Amino acid sequence: RRYDARGTFTNLVGKRGGGPGEYQHPGGMAVTRDGLLIVFDPENSRITYFHPDGKVQRDFPVVRPGFFGDNFVIDTLGLIYQTVSVGGPLTEGYGSRQQYVRLSPDGVVRDSVHLPERYMPVRVANTFSLATSDGMRWNFTERRLVAPYLPGGVLSGTSHAYRFVVAPVGRPVLVVERSHTPLPLGDAERADWQKWVEYFKTRPGPPPAYEVPRLKPAIRALRSDHLGRVWVDVFVAAERRNDPPRPAGDARPQLTWKERTTYDVFSPAGAYLGRVAFPAETELLAIRDHRLYTRSKGPDGEDRVVVYRLAQ
């Protein structure tokens, strides 16, 4: 669905199928500087460029299927990032060695960027995540973090240390570290998560050995923007919220203690610029120069797209 700057619906882009301008599953989407929508469709093994009016500009086949998610991006040079395994399709999945392949706008492989072994994202046995109105939330276990660096390169770190590494292509590596005092996981907040642990034990299969620690990690996730700023999604103190009760028959617990989406922002040189704390029920979707595109909840529970502008 495409909307104009005032929020008015204008048109649909593509539809389900296998023909030109169709897709089975949008495994990744990105928007170019000149306003074209790029859709990665792994099931049809292709990437398609759409004009804003929904017409196809061009497409090209993708030889290696790659992985889905936020790692499908366009960097400042206009190169497309796709995450693939070093060893090919037979070794794809958690635990395999991965790299970013950078494709030119016409689908030619320009080069590849290896992901640091130490910070490879791996599946942790006692980890689970919950989809909340503030975004995805993990159960406070240690995780390795990796993300594309949009000027070209890789961001990496680990959740339990306030330290991240910027590895630009063809330039020296930058390590940024900031002092950090772990926040305690309050008794009431921890009890919320323990209810989810007990809920998962009631599901079919061997009972999981999930853990909910007493202290919160430092960093939830890393991201960057096309200006080279680094956005560090940090853990903060939770607040109590009164969500409406679940429908009858829905046995899932509720999170009554939630964290607001909060980012520390750093310059391309690693200088701390400040903190951006969003209102409750808000998730950051995209950053375009000094505009922040978010999804939030309205008074009746409806989804809203809210655009903020960073003060100069």
Side-chain angles (χ1 to χ4, degrees):
R1 292 175 176 268
R2 175 172 170 260
Y3 298 83
D4 65 17
R6 298 177 62 85
T8 302
F9 172 75
T10 57
N11 58 280
L12 295 172
V13 179
K15 63 180 181 179
R16 185 175 178 85
E22 299 175 343
Y23 38 77
Q24 291 292 339
H25 174 72
M29 295 188 293
V31 179
T32 67
R33 280 288 175 179
D34 53 357
L36 297 177
L37 173 68
I38 303 180
V39 177
F40 168 45
D41 180 12
E43 294 188 30
N44 284 321
S45 299
R46 68 181 172 210
I47 291 175
T48 303
Y49 284 72
F50 291 94
H51 287 288
D53 61 5
K55 294 181 180 179
V56 175
Q57 193 220 41
R58 65 183 185 276
D59 60 32
F60 58 82
V62 177
V63 177
R64 301 177 66 178
F67 299 96
F68 305 166
D70 297 334
N71 287 338
F72 182 80
V73 300
I74 304 172
D75 71 11
T76 305
L77 298 177
L79 300 179
I80 303 169
Y81 280 52
Q82 185 186 13
T83 311
V84 300
S85 287
V86 175
L90 293 179
T91 62
E92 290 182 357
Y94 287 97
S96 63
R97 295 179 59 226
Q98 299 170 16
Q99 63 183 1
Y100 291 138
V101 170
R102 299 202 303 174
L103 308 173
S104 67
D106 55 359
V108 177
V109 175
R110 178 70 62 84
D111 57 20
S112 61
V113 182
H114 287 274
L115 306 186
E117 291 287 342
R118 180 178 177 185
Y119 299 118
M120 289 292 296
V122 296
R123 185 183 297 277
V124 180
N126 60 354
T127 295
F128 67 91
S129 61
L130 303 175
T132 77
S133 54
D134 300 270
M136 296 301 295
R137 296 293 186 255
W138 297 80
N139 62 322
F140 311 103
T141 56
E142 184 170 0
R143 300 175 61 238
R144 301 172 187 175
L145 308 174
V146 65
Y149 182 57
L150 294 188
V154 179
L155 288 175
S156 58
T158 181
S159 61
H160 276 54
Y162 203 129
R163 181 192 309 110
F164 61 88
V165 179
V166 184
V169 174
R171 289 188 289 145
V173 170
L174 174 68
V175 179
V176 179
E177 189 165 4
R178 189 171 168 83
S179 61
H180 167 71
T181 302
L183 289 172
L185 196 64
D187 291 341
E189 183 183 8
R190 190 170 185 273
D192 268 2
W193 285 86
Q194 283 297 144
K195 291 177 183 177
W196 276 98
V197 171
E198 297 305 315
Y199 167 76
F200 285 127
K201 291 180 180 179
T202 66
R203 303 180 70 179
Y210 294 134
E211 296 179 5
V212 182
R214 295 286 180 179
L215 296 175
K216 295 185 178 183
I219 299 175
R220 177 176 286 112
L222 297 168
R223 68 188 302 168
S224 65
D225 59 36
H226 288 91
L227 298 180
R229 295 171 302 203
V230 178
W231 294 68
V232 180
D233 190 348
V234 294
F235 286 84
V236 295
E239 57 190 32
R240 184 177 178 83
R241 300 187 201 160
N242 295 316
D243 292 341
R246 294 195 185 278
D250 189 341
R252 295 174 299 165
Q254 284 186 292
L255 286 179
T256 56
W257 288 84
K258 300 180 183 179
E259 297 179 50
R260 297 190 183 210
T261 301
T262 305
Y263 285 89
D264 284 345
V265 188
F266 294 82
S267 75
Y272 178 70
L273 300 177
R275 174 164 287 193
V276 176
F278 290 99
E281 317 285 326
T282 300
E283 180 181 5
L284 178 60
L285 300 177
I287 306 166
R288 278 288 190 181
D289 298 329
H290 301 295
R291 289 173 295 169
L292 309 178
Y293 292 82
T294 70
R295 184 219 34 83
S296 66
K297 288 291 183 182
D300 296 320
E302 74 278 13
D303 285 325
R304 290 182 170 184
V305 175
V306 181
V307 184
Y308 295 91
R309 185 174 63 185
L310 288 173
Q312 300 297 303

